[in-house]
Amino acid sequence: MESPDKNIVITLDGPAASGKSTTARLVAGKLGWLYLDTGAMYRAMAVKVLRRGISLDDTESIGRMAATTQIRLRQSQTGMHVFVDGVDVTDQIRTPEVDRAVGPVCEVPAVRDAMVRLQREIAREGHLVTDGRDMGTVVFPEAELKFYVTASIKNRADRRFQDMKKQGLGVSLEAVQADIEERDARDSQRDHSPLRKAEDAIELDTSGMTVDEQVGLVLRHIDRLIRAEQAK
Ligand code: DC
């Protein structure tokens, strides 16, 4: 597939553990495009809030901190790495503690403003595949192709549980499911940039699908888009 001249943006939004990050990362890898995991950016910010001992209710301090915090993402041989003020925090962003803190942190308007600015800057660097909650609705409403990725709660809880088990984290499946349900409610009910399907997004239910099938489906849509762009 030959990439078109103008920068293309593909967004994958959806609830926690729906498979959107894995799909987005692999699609970007196949195409040689940039991959932007925006959940990792909000998680990195939450790591700094926890390290500083800032209370999750203290939105003013969190907002002030965000204005002077530098978040960077770098792709390496071992995967995507996220840095806060130059320090690699990749290994710390997927703990249960960060899972709980990221909800309140990502709702602070100054945090979202800083992250959205950075996300749009990154999109100027090349073709982009990005995943999050508001990428197709708020950050890139003009994206060429949008997906809304869902999966049953059982599927999502099981996926996140397996990930955590691999990391050696001792959690129960029930606790993981309860946590995901709580985050779903929080992500979709918040005032600022809530999780919702963009009107022009393609719905992708990954419940019964393998990762290869998800990647293949997204790639077929992108192939069609590129052919249409080239025919213009
Ligand atoms: O996709 P994830 O589970 O890594 O996301 C972590 C949190 O960040 C999630 O609770 C919602 C928030 N988030 C967001 O508000 N907007 C985004 N674009 C991406 C993530």
Side-chain angles (χ1 to χ4, degrees):
M1 223 188 298
E2 203 170 309
S3 296
D5 296 335
K6 81 164 186 170
N7 281 353
I8 301 270
V9 176
I10 313 287
T11 62
L12 287 87
D13 288 308
S18 55
K20 58 192 188 310
S21 298
T22 307
T23 306
R25 179 171 48 78
L26 291 171
V27 166
K30 287 239 182 228
L31 296 169
W33 292 6
L34 300 169
Y35 165 53
L36 176 61
D37 175 354
T38 61
M41 298 169 81
Y42 290 103
R43 285 171 178 276
M45 200 62 98
V47 168
K48 183 166 172 184
V49 169
L50 291 171
R51 274 207 193 147
R52 288 265 170 111
I54 300 174
S55 158
L56 296 174
D57 301 328
D58 187 356
T59 53
E60 209 171 296
S61 297
I62 295 174
R64 239 181 294 124
M65 189 205 86
T68 57
T69 299
Q70 194 193 47
I71 304 280
R72 288 286 172 265
L73 291 161
R74 209 167 299 148
Q75 189 71 52
S76 80
Q77 303 279 26
T78 51
M80 172 67 75
H81 285 252
V82 57
F83 296 79
V84 180
D85 302 324
V87 179
D88 189 344
V89 295
T90 315
D91 291 343
Q92 292 140 55
I93 62 172
R94 297 200 191 277
T95 63
E97 201 190 4
V98 172
D99 275 353
R100 279 189 293 274
V102 68
V105 170
C106 79
E107 283 170 13
V108 176
V111 171
R112 298 208 77 84
D113 290 349
M115 294 303 97
V116 169
R117 206 174 317 120
L118 184 54
Q119 289 155 10
R120 290 182 179 148
E121 260 171 43
I122 293 170
R124 283 198 283 273
E125 291 168 16
H127 302 305
L128 180 75
V129 184
T130 183
D131 77 279
R133 302 292 187 288
D134 59 345
M135 306 316 289
T137 51
V138 174
V139 187
F140 300 114
E142 308 295 330
E144 277 74 11
L145 203 51
K146 302 176 185 179
F147 293 90
Y148 188 74
V149 188
T150 59
S152 70
I153 179 70
K154 284 247 163 303
N155 249 271
R156 294 190 286 130
D158 194 50
R159 257 184 223 153
R160 185 52 57 90
F161 175 64
Q162 299 302 339
D163 283 353
M164 289 188 155
K165 227 165 59 175
K166 264 188 232 148
Q167 287 181 62
L169 297 167
V171 283
S172 72
L173 179 61
E174 291 71 29
V176 172
Q177 178 163 332
D179 180 62
I180 289 182
E181 281 170 331
E182 198 186 311
R183 284 206 295 140
D184 281 356
R186 190 161 191 140
D187 286 344
S188 46
Q189 285 162 20
R190 70 184 182 214
D191 293 333
H192 199 323
S193 307
L195 170 66
R196 62 179 177 80
K197 177 180 171 294
E199 267 175 32
D200 50 350
I202 299 163
E203 195 156 339
L204 174 58
D205 184 338
T206 64
S207 299
M209 290 173 85
T210 65
V211 171
D212 279 352
E213 286 169 340
Q214 295 162 38
V215 172
L217 192 143
V218 172
L219 283 173
R220 278 197 296 284
H221 279 282
I222 298 177
D223 188 31
R224 215 172 299 146
L225 166 80
I226 292 176
R227 282 176 206 281
E229 289 283 331
Q230 280 163 347
K232 274 184 191 166

